[in-house]
C-alpha cells in the first residue's frame, strides 16, 4: 500500500475485541509494508553494526603497519557508509508510509462508523472523546504501527551483534551479551506508572476539550447572562489540571530516559576497564578492544528503539482502546432483520406522531429545535442540541436510550440494516448540503428508478435554477445538467440550493420522505408551487413535512400539532385553525395578547357563516 493509493477502497472489518487486538489487526493488514520496513531496517542496523569490525581492523592495521589491510578497512567503511545511507533513507520512507496508511485506515473506519451511526453517535460517546479519537489518537496508533518494524529490526540487529561478539571475542562478548537484555528490559517496571500518568493526562485533556467545546457552542447564551468569566474560570482550572498532569507524566518519562542513559554508561565504563586490563595483560589485541567497545557503543542506538516502542505502545494502547470503543458501536443491540424494505405507517411511540402510509402529513412544532430533533428521530437518529450543556446532553442521551424506536409498519428502524433503513426513510434537514460537481452528478443518487431527474426538478420548481445554470455554462452548449456547482452550492442563492436539495430527495423516492422546513428560503409564490409539486409527485407515498407555513400546510392531507414533545391535535389545516388556539398561534404568529383574545369563546357558526369562511 502506497500513500498515492489512499483512501482505501475498503478499510476492512476491524477486530474490536480489545485495543491490543485492534493494533495487531492493523499491523497484520499492513504486513507488506511492515516487511519492507523490516528489511530496510535490518540493512541499516547491520551496516551500522559492521562499522566496529572495520574500525578495529583499521586500528590493528595501523599498529601492525599493514597498508593493504588499512586500505581494505577504508574501502569497507565507505561501502558500509553507502549502505547506511540507503538503508536509513528507505527505512524512513517505508516507516512513514506505514504510519500514514495506518492512520488513514483508522480515520476511514471512524468516518464509516460516524456515517453509520449518524447523530446517534453522540448519544453513546461524548463529543470530546470522538474528537480525541479522530485527531490525537489516530496519530498515536499510527506511531506504534510505524515504530513496530523499526523495533523488530533493532532487536534482530542486537541479537546478531551479541552473537557475533561472543564468537569474535568471548571474554568481552559474554559481558555485552549478558548486559544487553538487562539494558533493554530495565525500564519495564517503570512503564505501568508512566502509562497511568499518561492516561490521567489524556483523560483530563479530554475533559478540558469537552468543556471548551461546550463553552464555545454556548458562547452567545453565556454573553447574554454574563457567564463568560464563570466558564473561563472553569476552563482555566481544567487547563491547569492538564498542565500538572502533563508535568507529572513528563517526569516519569524523563526518569525512563535517565535510566536508558545511566545503565549503558555503566556498561561502557565496565567494558573499558575490563578490556584495558585484558589488553595490558596481553590476552587481547588493542584492535579487538576497539572493535568490542565500538560495537557496544553503537548498540546503544538500536537500544533507543526499545524505549521508543515502549512509549509508543503505552500511548497507543489506550488510544486504540478508545478507538475500539467507538468502532464497536452498532446501530442496535438487537438482531437486524433480513427482510426487505418495510412499508406501512411511520409511527413515533415517543411523541405519538403517526404519518399514515401514502399520505402527505404536515407537522407543526412551536419550537424549531424540537422539530429538528423529531425529524432526525423519524429517520432513526435522535440527537442532542448543539447548544445544550453537557448535563442536558447526558440527560437526553439517557432519555433517547429509553425511548422506543420509530416504527415503519411493524418494524423498528433501528432493527434494520443501515442501507435498508436509508432506503426506507430519508430525512432532509433544514440546511441541506450540496457537494461540488455537476448537476447531473448531484442527482445521480441511489433511487427507486420511478422518479426521473426532470420530474424531481419540475416538482421542486427548479426552472429558474436550470436557466441560470444554462447561462453559466456556455462551454457545455447551455446544458444545465453539465454545469458545475461549486462547493456547498455557494454559487447559488439559498432558495436555489434548497430547491435543488429537495429535487435530489424527491428523485431518491424513498418509502417515507421526511422534510424539515423544505420551503423556508423561497418566496410565497414559489412556496405554493413547490408545495403543490411535492404533493403531486409524492401522491401515494408517505411524506412528512415539518413546517409552519399555511401555504404548505393547506395542501397536506393531514396536519399534526406537536406541543412539548407530544401530539396534541390532528386534522386538516382549516379544521385546526378554527378549533386549536395553540395551532393558530404558531401558524398565524399571534402575539400573547392576540392569543389570549382568541381564546374567548366564539359562538358556533351556522352553515351560511361556515360556508362563507371556507370560501374565503
Amino acid at each position: 500500500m502506497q500513500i498515492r493509493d489512499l483512501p482505501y477502497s475498503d478499510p476492512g472489518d476491524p477486530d474490536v475485541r480489545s485495543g491490543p487486538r485492534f493494533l495487531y489487526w492493523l499491523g497484520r493488514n499492513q504486513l507488506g509494508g511492515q516487511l519492507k520496513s523490516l528489511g530496510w531496517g535490518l540493512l541499516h542496523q547491520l551496516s551500522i553494526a559492521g562499522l566496529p569490525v572495520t574500525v578495529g581492523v583499521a586500528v590493528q592495521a595501523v599498529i601492525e603497519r599493514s597498508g593493504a589491510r588499512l586500505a581494505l578497512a577504508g574501502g569497507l567503511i565507505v561501502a558500509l557508509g553507502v549502505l547506511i545511507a540507503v538503508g536509513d533513507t528507505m527505512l524512513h520512507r517505508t516507516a512513514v508510509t506505514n504510519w500514514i496508511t495506518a492512520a488513514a485506515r483508522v480515520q476511514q473506519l471512524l468516518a464509516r462508523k460516524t456515517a453509520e451511526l449518524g447523530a446517534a453517535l453522540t448519544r453513546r460517546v461524548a463529543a470530546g472523546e470522538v474528537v480525541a479519537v479522530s485527531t490525537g489518537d489516530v496519530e498515536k496508533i499510527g506511531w506504534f504501527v510505524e515504530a513496530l518494524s523499526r523495533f523488530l529490526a533493532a532487536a534482530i540487529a542486537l541479537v546478531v551483534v551479541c552473537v557475533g561478539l561472543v564468537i569474535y571475542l568471548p571474554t568481552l562478548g559474554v559481558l555485552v551479551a549478558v548486559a544487553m537484555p538487562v539494558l533493554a528490559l530495565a525500564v519495564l517496571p517503570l512503564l505501568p506508572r508512566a502509562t497511568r500518568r499518561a492516561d490521567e493526562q489524556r483523560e483530563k485533556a479530554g475533559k478540558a476539550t469537552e468543556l471548551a467545546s461546550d463553552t464555545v457552542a454556548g458562547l452567545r447564551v453565556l454573553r447574554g447572562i454574563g457567564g463568560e468569566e464563570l466558564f473561563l474560570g472553569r476552563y482555566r482550572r481544567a487547563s491547569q489540571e492538564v498542565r500538572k498532569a502533563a508535568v507529572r507524566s513528563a517526569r516519569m518519562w524523563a526518569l525512563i530516559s535517565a535510566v536508558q542513559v545511566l545503565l549503558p554508561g555503566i556498561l561502557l565504563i565496565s567494558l573499558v576497564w575490563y578490556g584495558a586490563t585484558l589488553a595490558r595483560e596481553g590476552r587481547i589485541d588493542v584492535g579487538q578492544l576497539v572493535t568490542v567497545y565500538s560495537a557496544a557503543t553503537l548498540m546503544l542506538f538500536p537500544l533507543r528503539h526499545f524505549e521508543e516502542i515502549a512509549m509508543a505502545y503505552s500511548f497507543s494502547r489506550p488510544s486504540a482502546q478508545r478507538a475500539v470503543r467507538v468502532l464497536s458501536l452498532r446501530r442496535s443491540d438487537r438482531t437486524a432483520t433480513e427482510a426487505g424494505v418495510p412499508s406501512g405507517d411511520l409511527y413515533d411511540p415517543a411523541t405519538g406522531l403517526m404519518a399514515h402510509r401514502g399520505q402527505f402529513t404536515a407537522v407543526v412544532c412551536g419550537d424549531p429545535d424540537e422539530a429538528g430533533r423529531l425529524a432526525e428521530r423519524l429517520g432513526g437518529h435522535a440527537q442532542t442540541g448543539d447548544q445544550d450543556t453537557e448535563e442536558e446532553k447526558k440527560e437526553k442521551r439517557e432519555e433517547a436510550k429509553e425511548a422506543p424506536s420509530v416504527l415503519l409498519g411493524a418494524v423498528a428502524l433501528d432493527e434494520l440494516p443501515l442501507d435498508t433503513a436509508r432506503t426506507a426513510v430519508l430525512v432532509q434537514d433544514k440546511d441541506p448540503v450540496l457537494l461540488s460537481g455537476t448537476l447531473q452528478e448531484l442527482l445521480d443518487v441511489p433511487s427507486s428508478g420511478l422518479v426521473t431527474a426532470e420530474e424531481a426538478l419540475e416538482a421542486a420548481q427548479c426552472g429558474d435554477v436550470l436557466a441560470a445554470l444554462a447561462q453559466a455554462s456556455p462551454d457545455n452548449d447551455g446544458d444545465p445538467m453539465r454545469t458545475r456547482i461549486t462547493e456547498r452550492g455557494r454559487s447559488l442563492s439559498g432558495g436555489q440550493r434548497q430547491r435543488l436539495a429537495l429535487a435530489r430527495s424527491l428523485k431518491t423516492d424513498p418509502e417515507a420522505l421526511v422534510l424539515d422546513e423544505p420551503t423556508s428560503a423561497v418566496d410565497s409564490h414559489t412556496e405554493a408551487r413547490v408545495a403543490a409539486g411535492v404533493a403531486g409527485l409524492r401522491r401515494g407515498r408517505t411524506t412528512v413535512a415539518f413546517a409552519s407555513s399555511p401555504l404548505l400546510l393547506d395542501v397536506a392531507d393531514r396536519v399534526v400539532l406537536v406541543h412539548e414533545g407530544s401530539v396534541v391535535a390532528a386534522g386538516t389545516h382549516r379544521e385546526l385553525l378554527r378549533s386549536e388556539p395553540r395551532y393558530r398561534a404558531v401558524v398565524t404568529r399571534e402575539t400573547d395578547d392576540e392569543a389570549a383574545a382568541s381564546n374567548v369563546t366564539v359562538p358556533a357558526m351556522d352553515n351560511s357563516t361556515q360556508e362563507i369562511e371556507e370560501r374565503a
Side-chain angles (χ1 to χ4, degrees):
M1 184 68 183
Q2 300 296 321
I3 296 177
R4 63 173 175 267
D5 299 324
L6 296 176
Y8 290 93
S9 57
D10 179 12
D13 186 17
D15 187 343
V16 294
R17 287 176 290 178
S18 66
R21 287 179 181 272
F22 179 65
L23 292 174
Y24 172 74
W25 178 84
L26 280 176
R28 188 185 63 196
N29 276 270
Q30 290 188 298
L31 187 59
Q34 294 288 351
L35 291 177
K36 288 181 183 179
S37 185
L38 176 60
W40 291 115
L42 285 174
L43 176 64
H44 179 233
Q45 298 283 355
L46 294 178
S47 298
I48 292 177
L51 286 176
V53 178
T54 57
V55 171
V57 171
V59 171
Q60 195 64 31
V62 171
I63 294 175
E64 297 175 357
R65 299 182 181 278
S66 173
R69 293 180 63 187
L70 183 61
L72 175 63
L76 290 175
I77 290 176
V78 172
L80 289 175
V82 173
L83 293 178
I84 290 172
V86 173
D88 192 22
T89 301
M90 296 306 298
L91 171 62
H92 180 74
R93 178 186 178 89
T94 54
V96 171
T97 299
N98 288 338
W99 186 339
I100 294 177
T101 51
R105 186 187 296 274
V106 178
Q107 286 179 327
Q108 279 189 250
L109 290 171
L110 290 171
R112 185 175 69 181
K113 181 59 64 175
T114 302
E116 176 186 340
L117 295 174
L121 177 63
T122 55
R123 288 189 292 162
R124 308 184 188 181
V125 181
E129 184 169 355
V130 176
V131 172
V133 171
S134 59
T135 53
D137 286 337
V138 166
E139 182 179 349
K140 293 180 178 65
I141 292 171
W143 176 28
F144 174 76
V145 174
E146 175 261 343
L148 182 60
S149 55
R150 291 191 287 108
F151 161 72
L152 292 176
I156 294 174
L158 282 177
V159 172
V160 171
V161 172
C162 288
V163 172
L165 287 179
V166 171
I167 296 174
Y168 175 71
L169 191 62
T171 52
L172 292 179
V174 172
L175 174 63
V176 175
V178 172
M180 281 302 159
V182 176
L183 297 181
L185 303 177
V187 298
L188 288 183
L190 301 176
L191 285 180
R193 182 177 298 180
T195 301
R196 286 195 299 271
R197 292 189 178 185
D199 290 344
E200 179 183 355
Q201 175 197 349
R202 282 190 292 271
E203 181 181 357
K204 291 182 179 296
K207 291 181 179 179
T209 302
E210 285 187 34
L211 180 60
S213 62
D214 286 344
T215 303
V216 172
L219 191 58
R220 181 181 302 175
V221 177
L222 292 176
R223 285 175 175 171
I225 62 176
E228 304 102 310
E229 291 300 326
L230 174 63
F231 274 79
L232 180 60
R234 290 182 181 177
Y235 180 74
R236 186 179 289 113
R237 289 191 294 272
S239 178
Q240 289 302 312
E241 289 180 2
V242 174
R243 182 189 63 81
K244 293 177 183 177
V247 170
R248 293 182 70 247
S249 178
R251 285 174 179 169
M252 183 55 63
W253 289 112
L255 176 60
I256 291 175
S257 298
V259 171
Q260 289 287 315
V261 173
L262 176 63
L263 295 183
I266 295 175
L267 170 64
L268 291 179
I269 293 173
S270 303
L271 187 63
V272 171
W273 177 80
Y274 183 52
T277 301
L278 294 179
R280 188 173 62 248
E281 296 174 354
R283 296 168 60 182
I284 61 173
D285 297 329
V286 174
Q288 291 177 319
L289 174 59
V290 172
T291 298
V292 176
Y293 175 78
S294 300
T297 303
L298 291 178
M299 287 172 73
L300 301 183
F301 174 72
L303 270 177
R304 296 176 185 171
H305 292 288
F306 283 78
E307 178 187 357
E308 182 191 16
I309 197 64
M311 292 181 64
Y313 182 74
S314 298
F315 280 97
S316 65
R317 182 185 57 79
S319 295
Q321 193 61 46
R322 280 194 293 270
V324 163
R325 203 154 47 231
V326 176
L327 295 175
S328 61
L329 297 176
R330 295 291 183 265
R331 296 191 67 239
S332 174
D333 295 332
R334 289 168 284 201
T335 305
T337 179
E338 298 298 330
V341 178
S343 60
D345 299 336
L346 185 63
Y347 175 62
D348 177 24
T351 60
L353 174 61
M354 171 72 78
H356 295 292
R357 181 184 182 185
Q359 287 190 1
F360 186 175
T361 302
V363 181
V364 176
C365 292
D367 182 3
D369 292 334
E370 182 183 5
R373 289 192 293 268
L374 181 53
E376 291 288 346
R377 178 168 169 75
L378 289 178
H381 287 319
Q383 64 178 1
T384 58
D386 294 336
Q387 304 296 329
D388 291 343
T389 65
E390 190 60 30
E391 291 76 10
E392 290 172 334
K393 289 180 180 179
K394 187 180 297 184
E395 181 181 349
K396 288 181 179 179
R397 282 195 290 267
E398 293 302 323
E399 291 176 356
K401 290 178 182 178
E402 297 175 359
S405 173
V406 171
L407 302 177
L408 181 61
V411 180
L413 284 183
D414 60 5
E415 291 183 357
L416 293 172
L418 182 63
D419 293 342
T420 305
R422 290 294 162 269
T423 303
V425 181
L426 174 66
V427 178
Q428 177 181 302
D429 62 24
K430 64 179 64 178
D431 296 313
V433 176
L434 300 182
L435 302 179
S436 60
T438 64
L439 181 56
Q440 184 175 1
E441 292 172 340
L442 175 69
L443 297 176
D444 185 16
V445 292
S447 65
S448 65
L450 301 177
V451 177
T452 65
E454 291 75 15
E455 291 173 336
L457 291 168
E458 182 180 357
Q461 301 301 310
C462 295
D464 62 320
V465 185
L466 296 177
L469 292 176
Q471 292 179 357
S473 61
D475 297 337
N476 295 328
D477 299 326
D479 184 3
M481 300 300 291
R482 297 168 58 190
T483 302
R484 188 167 186 81
I485 298 173
T486 58
E487 181 185 0
R488 301 182 70 88
R490 290 192 175 95
S491 58
L492 305 171
S493 68
Q496 290 174 331
R497 287 196 299 270
Q498 190 175 60
R499 281 177 285 159
L500 284 180
L502 177 60
R504 178 179 58 188
S505 299
L506 293 174
K507 185 178 183 298
T508 303
D509 190 34
E511 178 67 25
L513 176 62
V514 180
L515 305 171
D516 188 5
E517 295 289 352
T519 58
S520 59
V522 299
D523 59 76
S524 58
H525 297 287
T526 305
E527 182 179 22
R529 295 196 300 269
V530 170
V534 172
L537 186 64
R538 292 286 300 174
R539 185 172 290 112
R541 307 287 270 174
T542 306
T543 307
V544 180
F546 288 81
S548 59
S549 170
L551 293 173
L552 191 147
L553 298 173
D554 197 38
V555 302
D557 299 317
R558 183 169 176 264
V559 181
V560 176
L561 174 63
V562 176
H563 181 68
E564 296 183 351
S566 299
V567 173
V568 295
T572 65
H573 168 59
R574 295 172 185 265
E575 290 172 352
L576 293 178
L577 273 180
R578 289 194 297 265
S579 62
E580 181 53 59
R582 289 171 294 186
Y583 177 83
R584 186 166 56 247
V586 174
V587 173
T588 63
R589 276 71 168 177
E590 286 182 343
T591 64
D592 292 340
D593 293 339
E594 292 171 337
S598 65
N599 284 333
V600 178
T601 304
V602 180
M605 295 180 294
D606 56 22
N607 294 336
S608 60
T609 306
Q610 184 175 359
E611 182 179 355
I612 292 172
E613 180 176 336
E614 289 177 350
R615 289 178 180 177

